Structures are given as C-alpha cells and as structure tokens.
Amino acid sequence: FYFRNKHRPFLLFVSLLHVHTPLITTEKFQGRSRHGLYGDNVEEMDWMVGRLLDVIDKEDLKNTTFIYFASDHGGFLEAHRGNSQLGGWNGIYKGGKGMGGWEGGIRVPGIVRWPGVLPAGTVIDEPTSLMDIYPTVVQLAGGAVPQDRVMDGHSLLPLLRGTVQHSRHEFLFHYCGVFLHAVRWHQKDSDTVWKAHYATPVFQPEGPGACFRRGICPCFGDGVTHHDPPLLFNLSQDPSEANPLSADTEPL
C-alpha cells in the first residue's frame, strides 16, 4: 500500500480486532503480559501499531502524516472467563461498553501524532467526538464538507493547533441503540461540562457497575431506569459520576 501511495496523499484506516473479545492472540504474544489474555492482546496491538509507525518513519513520511489512534468504546466489563476479566478496565469512570450514557463507555483514548506540526506532549482537555474524524480528514485533504446539511462533527485541527481553546461541541448526545440516554453540555466560555442522564442501565447485581447477569446492558425495557428529572452531574468536578446534583446541592 505505502509503496504505491507514498509520493501522493493517502488515507490508511486500520480497524484492529484487538482488544475485542474473544481476544485472538498469536503464540508469540501469549503469556507476554502480567494481565492475562487481555494484557497479551494489548501488547500485540501495541506491537502492530508500532510496525505501522516504523514504516511511516522509515519512508520519511512522519512529518507529513497525521496519525489518530482511538477506541470505539470503553472496556467491556461483562466479558469474563472464570475469574479473569477479558474486556478491559475503565479506571475511575462508571460503566462500560454498550451502556449509552456512563463515562466508562464513552471516554476513550484519543492520541494524535504529527511531528513538526503539533507539539509533542500536549494534553487537550476538551470534549471531542469520533464524528470529528471525518471533517478533519476532509480538511487535511484540502476538501470541503457538504454545505447542504448539518454536520455533527467538527475539524480537530484548530483545537490541536491551538488556534481555538474550546471544542465547538456545545452539546453531545449519547444514545444506546436508537434511545437517547444522556446529553453532555459544555458550557460556553467555561471549563464546566455538565451531563444529564435520562435513562441508565439497571446493574445486576446492584454494586459492581455492570450487567453481569445479562452479559451486556440493554438499551430499553425493564433493563433501564428512566429519570425524571434527569440525573445531573458536573463532570468537571465529578468525572466518576458518583454524586448526582440537586437544586439543594447545586443552586445553578
């Protein structure tokens, strides 16, 4: 691929099977990590990404190639074999894959590399979306997105280059299937991000923050709780969504 395209613009989209269950891992990487099969899978994914970056570096393309690494959702908490958790871990964030609204299913790695254009080691703490990839790629290619419809995504380049300080996403809507579960509001000219949950999955059992008895959380029916008024969180102060706000605790 790169031999045919290295002298002209190219788009390479690599959709890795890793780290998705059933965690296919080659013999070379089995037992490589201290975190079981899931850890081995992460190590193999890291190696594959490294091979791609090595080729870009070897072909002297690194200063002219924009690279974006991300996941499509958070860790799959219900994936187990015996006592081994096969589907990852979401740190301080509540919930995981397939849950519509909780941060554990939404917050994913977003890692960008473009030496010579974007400074290394920069951390941008702004809400962006995988929907932003399309207009970013269009801008990089010198094109224009269609003007006859509303685009859900915004180019990431102004944010990455530091020409703007805030994401253009004032609101982001989080669905489970076709059902709206939560809405995020990035208050304008402010660092505060609020989130309202209209429906949340019923965890089984209640404590662990996942739907172990079902295998994955449902989007509707008796598997969700509807909230009226919605559950409200200040993600800037409570990213793990532990303390829902009320008029008494948050006058604003």
Side-chain angles (χ1 to χ4, degrees), residues 207-218:
C211 300
F212 289 115
R213 289 187 196 138
R214 290 178 182 260
I216 194 164
C217 291

Side-chain angles (χ1 to χ4, degrees), residues 19-197:
V19 288
H20 200 287
T21 53
L23 300 180
I24 308 296
T25 311
T26 59
E27 272 184 44
K28 181 181 172 186
F29 284 91
Q30 286 175 17
R32 182 73 76 87
S33 87
R34 292 181 298 166
H35 294 278
L37 199 52
Y38 187 87
D40 296 346
N41 220 239
V42 172
E43 297 251 357
E44 187 163 26
M45 176 181 68
D46 185 58
W47 172 79
M48 288 190 287
V49 172
R51 291 294 300 272
L52 289 169
L53 297 181
D54 287 347
V55 169
I56 287 166
D57 292 356
K58 190 178 113 201
E59 296 296 330
D60 204 23
L61 294 170
K62 88 174 165 187
N63 286 356
T64 53
T65 304
F66 177 88
I67 296 166
Y68 185 91
F69 175 88
S71 177
D72 57 345
H73 54 68
F76 180 17
L77 300 181
E78 292 87 357
H80 275 73
R81 181 186 298 156
N83 292 325
S84 300
Q85 188 172 344
L86 298 180
W89 179 67
N90 298 316
I92 66 167
Y93 303 114
K94 185 181 283 187
K97 172 186 176 177
M99 295 193 195
W102 293 119
E103 289 293 275
I106 295 168
R107 290 207 189 205
V108 295
I111 304 169
V112 174
R113 189 184 89 150
W114 194 3
V117 179
L118 305 177
T122 306
V123 177
I124 297 171
D125 188 13
E126 286 287 301
T128 61
S129 164
L130 293 179
M131 295 184 293
D132 297 334
I133 295 173
Y134 167 61
T136 303
V137 167
V138 168
Q139 185 180 351
L140 285 166
V145 296
Q147 300 297 305
D148 61 346
R149 69 204 75 180
V150 175
M151 284 291 151
D152 292 321
H154 304 292
S155 172
L156 293 167
L157 296 179
L159 200 56
L160 293 171
R161 285 179 164 147
T163 56
V164 300
Q165 299 307 306
H166 291 296
S167 161
R168 283 182 60 195
H169 289 287
E170 187 178 357
F171 295 95
L172 284 168
F173 297 85
H174 302 299
Y175 286 81
C176 188
V178 297
F179 301 95
L180 180 66
H181 274 210
V183 176
R184 175 186 314 257
W185 176 36
H186 186 208
Q187 198 172 349
K188 269 196 171 163
D189 303 320
S190 155
D191 293 327
T192 306
V193 179
W194 307 90
K195 194 156 112 202
H197 288 263

